[in-house]
Amino acid sequence: MKLRAAARNGWRSWHLALLLVYCSAGIALTWPAWRDLFEVAVEDEESSHILLVPLVALWLAWVRRARLRNVRPTGTMIGPVLVAAGWILGAFGFNNAYQSLWQAGAVVLVAGCALTVLGTGVLFRLFPAFAVLVFLVPVPGQVRETIALPLQTATAATTQMVLEVFGVAVERSANLMIVNGREVAVAEACNGLRMVFALFLVGYAFAFALPLRAYARVLVIAFSPIAATGCNVLRLVPTVLLYAYAPQYADRFHAVSGWLMLPVAFGLLLGLISLLRWALIPVSRYTLAYQPTTA
């Protein structure tokens, strides 16, 4: 919003000051949960995508800033309701040793502090930016294990199949492969779960940063885990070969290639949209208001 238009809609400079004060107070009140959340994001590779969430939220708010032109600071009672809900959720999670609920309560409480100043108009117009805050909460360990173990086995089986297509002799037992007489295990760190979470977040940002139709957004988000899994297999094939034939280079390649696959997977999302447009399937919410006629 431009400053003059914001002033006409009832926004004042003290709204910004109050927003900073309320959010700072909310973080201070729930600081142990935020500190624990940050430690999880830094120490657990499969939760490292949490560090990207604030940037994605700010980006989604920025690309939707034009929607705030006529928004007034009204409907702020939703804020105290969310603050109370976040406090109750956090207390329940803390008292019953549910780490994710404890951290989720802190996120909801701070969001409520922000909406106490901003109101429901900002919430509805910037809803994707608020909804992405769900990614701040790490996936519970039990849920993560339920996903990770089958994904680990499927990744090993797919990697074996690709290697055999290229004529590489592979023996596999569960997640352990034998190539060139060397045992190569597809460990928990290689199951691709970290890439799935990270690319799911990137796919969400991609889907809501562009003016796409609803079905196109659903397709992009649904395709994100598939693209991440495929890129993880693409990374594991040369990694397994390096561990089998040149182990002195394998660890470094494994560490670097994980980050390199993210832009590759993002390129696949761009390719998906380009493919839909090439097939003349409308993916954008807007069409040209004027189309020239031909004689």
Side-chain angles (χ1 to χ4, degrees), residues 63-289:
V63 298
R64 281 171 162 70
R65 65 190 183 280
R67 302 186 179 194
L68 300 178
R69 285 175 298 186
N70 300 318
V71 175
R72 297 180 178 275
T74 58
T76 54
M77 281 305 298
I78 190 175
V81 172
L82 287 178
V83 169
W87 184 265
I88 294 172
L89 183 63
F92 177 82
F94 180 80
N95 292 328
N96 294 276
Y98 293 127
Q99 184 183 26
S100 295
L101 293 182
W102 178 44
Q103 295 164 339
V107 174
V108 172
L109 188 146
V110 173
C113 290
L115 292 173
T116 300
V117 179
L118 300 176
T120 55
V122 174
L123 172 63
F124 292 148
R125 286 164 178 79
L126 301 183
F127 185 76
F130 284 95
V132 77
L133 298 179
V134 172
F135 290 97
L136 281 173
V137 182
V139 178
Q142 187 174 3
V143 176
R144 187 168 57 184
E145 288 181 5
T146 302
I147 301 173
L149 294 178
L151 183 61
Q152 195 169 332
T153 302
T155 300
T158 306
T159 302
Q160 177 193 15
M161 181 181 65
V162 173
L163 288 170
E164 289 177 344
V165 167
F166 286 96
V168 180
V170 182
E171 296 181 13
R172 184 178 68 87
S173 176
N175 303 326
L176 181 67
M177 290 183 287
I178 301 176
V179 181
N180 192 34
R182 297 177 184 267
E183 295 183 349
V184 182
V186 178
E188 183 178 354
C190 307
N191 60 24
L193 195 59
R194 179 184 66 171
M195 192 177 297
V196 168
F197 288 149
L199 192 66
F200 193 84
L201 176 62
V202 172
Y204 179 92
F206 180 88
F208 285 97
L210 297 178
L212 301 177
R213 295 175 183 260
Y215 74 85
R217 285 175 173 165
V218 172
L219 186 61
V220 167
I221 294 174
F223 183 70
S224 298
I226 300 174
T229 304
C231 286
N232 189 52
V233 172
L234 181 64
R235 174 177 71 117
L236 280 179
V237 168
T239 300
V240 169
L241 292 176
L242 284 174
Y243 275 113
Y245 294 97
Q248 65 273 24
Y249 303 111
D251 287 337
R252 180 174 298 180
F253 177 83
H254 180 264
V256 173
S257 61
W259 292 106
L260 292 178
M261 287 298 104
L262 284 178
V264 172
F266 186 74
L268 291 177
L269 297 180
L270 291 174
L272 175 64
I273 296 298
S274 299
L275 179 63
L276 293 175
R277 286 174 174 159
W278 175 81
L280 301 180
I281 298 175
V283 295
S284 178
R285 295 177 57 194
Y286 307 111
T287 56
L288 294 176

Side-chain angles (χ1 to χ4, degrees), residues 1-88:
M1 288 186 293
K2 294 184 178 180
L3 295 179
R4 188 173 299 176
R8 285 200 306 267
N9 292 332
W11 295 97
R12 299 293 184 268
S13 57
W14 60 265
H15 282 98
L16 177 59
L18 202 59
L19 176 65
L20 295 176
V21 170
Y22 279 15
C23 289
S24 298
I27 292 175
L29 286 172
T30 56
W31 176 245
W34 286 101
R35 182 181 57 197
D36 186 71
L37 193 153
F38 178 76
E39 290 175 354
V40 170
V42 172
E43 296 173 3
D44 185 357
E45 290 186 355
E46 292 183 358
S47 299
S48 58
H49 65 280
I50 292 174
L51 300 175
L52 299 175
V53 174
L55 298 177
V56 172
L58 291 174
W59 170 247
L60 291 176
W62 174 255
V63 298
R64 281 171 162 70
R65 65 190 183 280
R67 302 186 179 194
L68 300 178
R69 285 175 298 186
N70 300 318
V71 175
R72 297 180 178 275
T74 58
T76 54
M77 281 305 298
I78 190 175
V81 172
L82 287 178
V83 169
W87 184 265
I88 294 172

